[in-house]
Amino acid sequence: MSHRLSFYWKVIVNPHLASFIGLLTLSFGVAVAGMATVGLGVPLIDAAMGTASDQNQIVAIIAGILENMGFGSSKSYLILFLLVLISLIAIAHSGGLFLQQYWAAWLAQKFRASIKLKLFERTLTAPYAYLTQRDRGALLYDINTPSQAIYQVMDLFGRMAGMFWLYKFR
């Protein structure tokens, strides 16, 4: 297991560290947006039930923002503002989740192409005796299989990260 992990670290993560960190940061942002949509449900319930705004700091902050904008802090304005805020965060969450999965698939395709190229270059520079001992299908298998495996791992990583953040924080 540790041999495979060190292989993936050496081949995938280390040469493309900036892309990997960017994908993890985006995954974290998507998780925070998912938690925010769920977390704003309590202030929405407090605003709908008409409890005092001093009990919930988020409702008090939003009431202060509405007062400064000149709308007043009536119950209907609070509910409308919270619904719009939750909707905007949910839209950002969905867009971030789509972008995360798209980026993971794009990175996987990029890694697959680069590894295929490296393996093909190694085949081209292989000794003639090695090439004559193997048939064409075995050589193509040696080029395609590792790159396809890395593509599948990266694509699976992107899908699993998206599903994890989606189901863990809902």
Side-chain angles (χ1 to χ4, degrees):
M1 179 72 177
S2 66
H3 175 66
R4 286 185 185 170
L5 188 61
S6 66
F7 171 74
Y8 288 129
W9 180 265
K10 196 174 6 175
V11 172
I12 296 174
V13 177
N14 205 16
H16 309 283
L17 192 60
S19 297
F20 187 74
I21 290 174
L23 186 61
L24 286 179
T25 305
L26 181 62
S27 299
F28 181 74
V30 167
V32 168
M35 290 184 340
T37 57
V38 173
L40 284 174
V42 172
L44 179 64
I45 292 171
D46 285 348
M49 297 198 53
T51 57
S53 61
D54 58 346
Q55 292 178 356
N56 192 329
Q57 292 179 354
I58 295 175
V59 174
I61 291 170
I62 292 173
I65 290 171
L66 289 174
E67 286 287 332
N68 289 336
M69 292 172 61
F71 288 109
S73 60
S74 70
K75 182 177 172 180
S76 60
Y77 284 134
L78 281 172
I79 292 172
L80 178 66
F81 187 82
L82 279 169
L83 284 174
V84 168
L85 182 65
I86 291 171
S87 299
L88 290 175
I89 293 173
I91 290 169
H93 174 262
S94 299
L97 191 60
F98 173 76
L99 184 63
Q100 172 196 355
Q101 290 183 350
Y102 181 80
W103 193 4
W106 178 77
L107 284 175
Q109 285 286 60
K110 182 179 164 186
F111 296 155
R112 178 181 177 208
S114 69
I115 289 172
K116 225 174 179 179
L117 179 66
K118 288 177 186 175
L119 291 173
F120 183 67
E121 288 173 349
R122 287 186 71 190
T123 303
L124 287 178
T125 59
Y128 181 71
Y130 174 76
L131 294 175
T132 57
Q133 292 174 353
R134 301 190 53 133
D135 60 350
R136 185 173 30 186
L139 291 173
L140 288 175
Y141 181 82
D142 290 343
I143 293 171
N144 289 328
T145 302
S147 61
Q148 183 65 25
I150 288 176
Y151 167 75
Q152 289 173 345
V153 166
M154 286 299 297
D155 189 42
L156 185 65
F157 166 74
R159 292 176 192 272
M160 286 180 55
M163 287 188 302
F164 172 75
W165 296 124
L166 183 65
Y167 293 116
K168 178 72 174 169
F169 298 110
R170 282 279 173 186

